[in-house]
Amino acid sequence: HDDHDDHDDHDDHDDHDDHDDEHEEMAEIDFFDRDFNNTSYALSLGRQLNDFLDVKLGFAAVERAPSDVELFMNGPHLATGRFEVGNVGMDSEKSKNIDLSLDYESESFFAGLTLFINEVDSYIYLQDETEEEHEEHEEHEVDHGGMIRADYLQKDAEFEGYELEIGTDIALNSGVLSLMFGRDEVRGKFSDGSNILRMVPTRNMFSMIYTANDIKVKLSLQDVEKQNHIGLNETSTSGHQMLDLKVTRSFQFGQNAEISVTLYGKNLLDEVARNHSSFVKDQVPLPGKNFGIRLSGKF
């Protein structure tokens, strides 16, 4: 009889615990109701200065509401390797953009230059915790599953940069050889003068394309410079060169059928390259040397 009573008491205790756990889970649920009213507009003005040169001036004001992830995320995000924490109190981003473009084109030469400035109020970004903050969390037994904690924050920011491209077309045998050079650079700073995180480094791009009848050959080299304009808790990223080759041959079958065969090789220099804008650049490099074949048809 005593054993039976003890068993009943144990069941009652378990039921009580289950009820408490269920009540505790219910108590941890928060409900939010956020409304965002955003307005965006753009204006572009263009003029042909002469037979070869065009100029364009663009203005834009763009507002973007924070995403549901940026607002409510509170857990591990395996793609970034971080324990991300959102911020339900964030406002919409408000950016003002100005860009100026010059385009030149003649029979055998072309060039383009674009300058831009982008001011963003309440810019949303993901900030990793410092080592001191991580140690403090460990002392308070806050478990992030071994991941770095990263918080969604907002701060006024400014971006400025340019894009440049020049090239020429040369008649060669029965085809055309196109030589091109491009360069782009962007700098980003917060209102306090610190660097914005994970900015794309300066790149120089060289391309050579030969087109003749049913064949097209493209050889391209992307020279990515070292990124040492780094933000809080970031590490610099070494530069690298990516050499790619692509050869495409088309075959006609009758009047309405065409099959294209493409042979390609990427990262022919087999560089150990890392993408500075990636959250996992230190763990996962870009693909090494690889080759492939691609078939496509039109009927």
Side-chain angles (χ1 to χ4, degrees), residues 200-212:
V200 176
T202 302
R203 301 178 299 177
N204 299 292
M205 292 156 285
F206 305 85
S207 298
M208 181 175 65
I209 303 174
Y210 179 71
T211 305

Side-chain angles (χ1 to χ4, degrees), residues 187 201-202 223-229 236-240 276:
R187 291 284 181 263
T202 302
D223 175 31
V224 181
E225 298 183 3
K226 178 180 180 180
Q227 181 58 287
N228 51 18
H229 297 275
S236 60
T237 305
S238 300
H240 62 266
H276 183 77

Side-chain angles (χ1 to χ4, degrees), residues 39-43 59-63 94-97:
T39 302
S40 301
Y41 63 87
L43 174 65
F59 303 91
V62 179
E63 297 182 358
K94 298 180 180 180
S95 64
K96 301 181 183 66
N97 313 320

Side-chain angles (χ1 to χ4, degrees), residues 244-297:
D244 298 338
L245 174 65
K246 183 167 67 173
V247 180
T248 301
R249 177 69 187 272
S250 299
F251 300 90
Q252 296 286 339
F253 296 91
Q255 296 181 344
N256 301 318
E258 178 183 291
I259 293 179
S260 296
V261 181
T262 300
L263 302 176
Y264 64 85
K266 296 184 178 181
N267 192 6
L268 298 180
L269 301 177
D270 203 21
E271 287 268 281
V272 179
R274 300 183 186 275
N275 179 8
H276 183 77
S277 61
S278 170
F279 285 93
V280 293
K281 68 181 180 70
D282 294 326
Q283 294 79 25
V284 184
L286 295 172
K289 182 191 299 182
N290 61 99
F291 302 92
I293 182 171
R294 183 182 299 116
L295 300 176
S296 62

Side-chain angles (χ1 to χ4, degrees), residues 56-235:
K56 294 179 182 178
L57 182 62
F59 303 91
V62 179
E63 297 182 358
R64 182 186 76 89
S67 68
D68 52 354
V69 171
E70 294 164 340
L71 288 169
F72 307 119
M73 183 67 176
N74 186 22
H77 187 183
L78 299 182
T80 63
R82 280 153 174 76
F83 189 99
E84 297 182 5
V85 179
N87 182 351
V88 296
M90 287 195 294
D91 298 321
S92 294
E93 287 184 341
K94 298 180 180 180
S95 64
K96 301 181 183 66
N97 313 320
I98 300 177
D99 59 85
L100 174 66
S101 298
L102 295 171
D103 293 297
Y104 178 89
E105 185 173 0
S106 63
E107 292 184 359
S108 60
F109 180 79
F110 59 90
L113 174 64
T114 298
L115 307 172
F116 61 87
I117 297 177
N118 184 3
E119 295 182 354
V120 186
D121 295 337
S122 302
Y123 175 72
I124 299 173
Y125 64 101
L126 193 59
Q127 177 65 64
D128 291 348
E129 64 182 352
T130 63
E131 292 184 6
E132 292 78 8
E133 290 171 336
H134 183 71
E135 292 175 357
E136 183 179 344
H137 290 160
E138 287 184 335
E139 291 177 0
H140 289 81
E141 298 182 353
V142 178
D143 183 20
H144 296 151
M147 293 183 171
I148 298 172
R149 170 173 169 151
D151 294 272
Y152 283 100
L153 304 174
Q154 287 189 297
K155 191 185 296 184
D156 294 346
E158 180 176 293
F159 301 84
E160 58 182 28
Y162 65 87
E163 297 176 357
L164 171 67
E165 183 182 36
I166 59 176
T168 185
D169 296 327
I170 303 172
L172 185 63
N173 296 330
S174 58
V176 177
L177 177 65
S178 299
L179 302 175
M180 289 172 284
F181 167 74
R183 178 180 171 89
D184 57 45
E185 182 175 0
V186 60
R187 291 284 181 263
K189 287 188 175 294
F190 290 116
S191 55
D192 60 7
S194 60
N195 292 315
I196 293 175
L197 305 163
R198 293 173 289 276
M199 293 297 299
V200 176
T202 302
R203 301 178 299 177
N204 299 292
M205 292 156 285
F206 305 85
S207 298
M208 181 175 65
I209 303 174
Y210 179 71
T211 305
N213 298 326
D214 298 329
I215 191 168
K216 181 178 181 180
V217 180
K218 180 179 181 180
L219 182 66
S220 60
L221 174 67
Q222 187 177 92
D223 175 31
V224 181
E225 298 183 3
K226 178 180 180 180
Q227 181 58 287
N228 51 18
H229 297 275
I230 55 178
L232 180 64
N233 299 335
E234 267 196 304
T235 57

